[in-house]
Amino acid sequence: MMLPVEIALTQYGTREIAGSSNNPSVLGYFEYIGQSWVKNDEMAWCAAFLNWCLKRAGRQHTGSLLARSFLNYGTNTNTPKFGDLAVFWREAPTGKFGHAGFYINETKDHVWVLGGNQTDQVSIEAYPKKNLLGYRTF
């Protein structure tokens, strides 16, 4: 059985289609986790992607479309390893919006994560550590 992060890597480069068309792969992430009501690939999909990866790997998943739902997933850790989850706030530290992805590495000021809906695609991007809400291991 593949690890969730390995499954995520198989989707690297999958991206939204601009305009009125939709990428069936992105819509498939929503459908596979029970959110088939979503019909637009421009809806925030980082949480759908993580849930898709976890479920495909035979792991529990949150099923939620909120990135912050992963703050209650697995176990909190201060020493993340490759493939753990990183959860960030977006707009406000105490708001409902966020972003989540698989931990790849970090520098002094940034955390590199593999995730969906990063520049509208599955990619590896750096996020500011100042926006980090927590790391989760499983």
Side-chain angles (χ1 to χ4, degrees), residues 40-100:
N40 184 325
D41 69 4
E42 293 180 10
M43 180 170 179
W45 52 277
C46 72
F49 180 70
L50 282 185
N51 278 305
W52 181 86
C53 294
L54 291 164
K55 186 174 179 181
R56 292 278 313 244
R59 305 285 181 113
Q60 295 283 48
H61 60 290
T62 71
S64 173
L65 297 182
L66 294 175
R68 289 177 184 238
S69 69
F70 291 99
L71 288 171
N72 298 315
Y73 185 84
T75 306
N76 186 53
T77 183
N78 292 321
T79 55
K81 62 186 182 313
F82 178 82
D84 283 346
L85 303 180
V87 184
F88 303 88
W89 60 268
R90 195 166 46 90
E91 295 185 16
T94 58
K96 70 177 184 175
F97 298 109
H99 182 71

Side-chain angles (χ1 to χ4, degrees), residues 11-13 23 55 65 73 102 119 121 125:
Q11 301 298 297
Y12 197 89
N23 185 328
K55 186 174 179 181
L65 297 182
Y73 185 84
F102 293 104
T119 59
Q121 65 183 326
E125 302 285 337

Side-chain angles (χ1 to χ4, degrees), residues 118-133:
Q118 298 183 162
T119 59
D120 297 334
Q121 65 183 326
V122 177
S123 62
I124 297 173
E125 302 285 337
Y127 287 84
K129 274 191 179 174
K130 67 181 180 70
N131 290 22
L132 181 71
L133 292 170

